[in-house]
Amino acid sequence: MGEDFQRNQLKELKETALPCFQCGVCSSSCPVFRVSPELNPRLSVDSIISRGKVPSEGNEWLCAYCLMCDQRCPMGVSLAEILMVIKNISAREGKAPPDVIESAESLMADGCQSPISSRSEKQREDMGLPKLPRANPADVQMLFRATGAAEVVELNRKAVEEASE
Amino acid sequence: MKFAFFPGCTMAYRLPFAEKSIRMVAPHFDIELVDLAFTCCPEPNTVRALSDDTWITFAARNIALAEAEGLDILTACAGCHESLSLAKHELDKKPERKNKVNELLKGLGLEYRGTSKIVHMHQQLFDEIGIETISSKVVKPVPIKVVTHTGCHLLRPERILHVDSAEVPVKLDMLCEAIGMVPLDYMDKTMCCGAGVRKTNSVTSYAVLREKMTSIAMVEPDAIVVFCPTCFITFESGQRVANRIFGTDFKFPVFYYTELLAIAMNLPGMDILLAEHRVKIELPASAETKEERKTGAKDSIPSSP
Ligand code: SF4
Ligand code: SF4
């Protein structure tokens, strides 16, 4: 998988980004660019079209996936979706932010992204809310492993450990 | 109408009072809610960003559970709504992805077929039940000035979601008007609350929130109305963090729409729920009857273009 997977994804990305004529409407509509110019969505497409490379700075993780760029692009290029694919590539390289990995681990543990505490269960009960049925943890883990996320989580855990050594 | 109810992790375990308000109003609009063993939707910014295949498979499993019961899904969170709707769109459009997902779901005794619709509470109230029916249930109008924030993931991608106009959303304002509130327009109405980057860069996330809140503060509303638990938490708790980081002074009360609806319908038990809010509001007593409100409405200034 690994490299082939990446090469294919990059080829596809280049095709989706091709209609872009660098007008910059995406960047001027981006709420993150407004406060953190490190995320310039226009430049990330440019780098894919002209160099066939994902930008190396890792700024894709600054994208809030608010889809404003997607909404406004006059050429129908969805930078939000392109950045999502870039995040997938970056995660496979062990570059996912630690908090993102933590949320994924929580999902793997109890099927829910905000960890379910006994306090929150109690609060529900006090309000007269029903106990919500939960997915079988074995099923959750099976799907996690079979779809590649378990591997990505592990890879990123290792990257963090290596960096701290 | 009977639905598989999808409160989502954030609402269920961090904002249970908002979930309670949905369950309180539901029977009054003939909505019956069934709870199924759903997982997280899953959230795009974490799970989908790590592995697109994992995201679509979990979403398909959730939808397949509802399909097995022959029910449409009623969502309460914008994030869940967008995630499930996008997954459904992708699965219905690409048979090869659907088949791949179904290979895995077979092992769990499930199959994604594409028979269930994904409907957000916003759509059910505005598009199905309608403003007139909602107003007709109001016994205690809530006379406050509000700004609405429909939320990125109810508005975009517009070509798939069709909840409201992505550039000029007005439906939530109309829902607010229906229960006696005065919605105000503001500059950055369709801008993100910043929640999407909180896990990757929190200062950036609160800087986005600061921009949004600055635009809101300009029109001096009494409260902010949302239709998503994540936006709720970002505004309500996030404004304090923004204040600490940037020296701003935001303290707006925040409401999930059905909380205000329950108040306007004078349903018992709302005071307990409001006690859970971190920024409290003194709701002005509304002495006027419904008749007065109807005649008064003629002079009101339309708030949306
Ligand atoms: S708005 Fe579209 S065409 Fe314009 S720079 Fe952005 S991606 Fe390119
Ligand atoms: S989706 Fe990402 S890149 Fe696009 S406007 Fe939103 S934050 Fe910016």
Side-chain angles (χ1 to χ4, degrees), chain B:
Chain B
M1 173 119 191
K2 197 161 150 184
F3 284 103
F5 184 41
F6 200 101
C9 318
T10 307
M11 178 172 277
Y13 299 106
R14 295 185 61 194
L15 226 57
F17 49 90
E19 181 183 331
K20 181 74 183 178
S21 72
I22 295 181
R23 292 188 192 265
M24 279 163 64
V25 300
H28 298 271
F29 296 100
D30 292 321
I31 301 173
E32 191 187 331
L33 303 172
V34 177
D35 298 309
L36 300 175
F38 293 128
T39 61
C40 177
C41 48
E43 215 255 322
N45 285 313
T46 48
V47 177
R48 189 171 171 212
L50 290 182
S51 161
D52 198 74
D53 280 342
T54 307
W55 160 72
I56 206 160
T57 308
F58 274 89
R61 177 193 164 279
N62 284 329
I63 302 171
L65 283 179
E67 289 184 352
E69 302 293 323
L71 297 173
D72 289 339
I73 292 181
L74 186 68
T75 55
C77 166
C80 300
H81 184 74
E82 193 254 10
S83 189
L84 294 174
S85 303
L86 249 62
K88 179 178 169 58
H89 181 81
E90 183 85 359
L91 292 163
D92 292 348
K93 212 177 53 178
K94 298 188 181 151
E96 62 305 343
R97 281 203 97 172
K98 184 169 95 173
N99 295 340
K100 198 171 154 199
V101 158
N102 276 335
E103 279 301 308
L104 286 170
L105 294 186
K106 213 188 326 175
L108 309 180
L110 289 168
E111 187 193 356
Y112 175 89
R113 283 170 295 151
T115 50
S116 288
K117 279 193 290 195
I118 320 290
V119 184
H120 189 277
M121 192 62 186
H122 177 299
Q123 294 173 296
Q124 188 59 19
L125 284 174
F126 190 92
D127 301 333
E128 297 303 321
I129 293 160
I131 296 290
E132 272 105 72
T133 309
I134 293 171
S135 317
S136 74
K137 307 262 185 201
V138 172
V139 287
K140 218 180 96 185
V142 187
I144 57 172
K145 288 181 291 163
V146 295
V147 292
T148 64
H149 169 77
T150 308
C152 301
H153 293 162
L154 281 186
L155 296 177
R156 301 181 288 269
E158 193 177 21
R159 61 181 179 279
I160 298 174
L161 298 181
H162 314 295
V163 174
D164 199 349
S165 154
E167 296 286 2
V168 194
V170 292
K171 293 180 182 174
L172 183 50
D173 292 49
M174 290 164 82
L175 285 168
C176 286
E177 253 165 355
I179 60 174
M181 299 191 278
V182 181
L184 306 170
D185 251 333
Y186 63 107
M187 191 167 61
D188 287 316
K189 194 172 182 183
T190 56
M191 184 186 182
C192 175
C193 67
V197 272
R198 194 152 60 230
K199 287 199 163 76
T200 53
N201 187 318
S202 73
V203 174
T204 297
S205 158
Y206 292 112
V208 172
L209 178 66
R210 176 199 61 206
E211 296 293 296
K212 177 89 187 181
M213 298 289 274
T214 303
S215 164
I216 288 176
M218 280 179 201
V219 300
E220 302 180 349
D222 300 318
I224 302 173
V225 182
V226 298
F227 233 137
C228 169
T230 304
C231 303
F232 184 110
I233 295 170
T234 307
F235 284 127
E236 200 199 42
S237 310
Q239 60 187 337
R240 296 186 186 195
V241 186
N243 290 344
R244 264 206 309 279
I245 304 177
F246 306 111
T248 45
D249 188 24
F250 303 122
K251 31 177 192 300
F252 289 104
V254 184
F255 292 97
Y256 186 84
Y257 178 74
T258 49
E259 294 185 280
L260 292 161
L261 178 56
I263 292 171
M265 290 165 72
N266 208 14
L267 301 181
M270 269 319 292
D271 36 339
I272 309 170
L273 299 186
L274 292 186
E276 300 284 329
H277 283 225
R278 296 187 183 187
V279 183
K280 309 273 191 285
I281 188 169
E282 271 307 314
L283 288 175
S286 50
E288 46 176 15
T289 65
K290 267 171 44 189
E291 269 333 289
E292 281 163 357
R293 195 164 63 83
K294 278 203 186 107
T295 44
K298 266 191 249 126
D299 315 321
S300 72
I301 303 156
S303 56
S304 339

Side-chain angles (χ1 to χ4, degrees), chain A residues 27 30-43 59 62, chain B residues 204:
Chain A
S27 302
C30 173
V32 173
F33 181 67
R34 180 161 152 182
V35 298
S36 294
E38 306 90 277
L39 173 71
N40 186 330
R42 182 184 62 84
L43 291 183
N59 291 336
L62 281 175
Chain B
T204 297

Side-chain angles (χ1 to χ4, degrees), chain A residues 20-26 42 45 73-75 77 79:
Chain A
C20 169
F21 65 115
Q22 295 288 312
C23 68
V25 163
C26 49
R42 182 184 62 84
V45 237
C73 174
M75 298 308 287
V77 174
L79 286 186

Side-chain angles (χ1 to χ4, degrees), chain A residues 26 29-33 39 41 62-70 79-80 83 87, chain B residues 192 197:
Chain A
C26 49
S29 307
C30 173
V32 173
F33 181 67
L39 173 71
L62 281 175
C63 166
Y65 195 62
C66 75
L67 292 132
M68 201 58 132
C69 51
D70 171 295
L79 286 186
L83 286 162
K87 287 176 198 169
Chain B
C192 175
V197 272

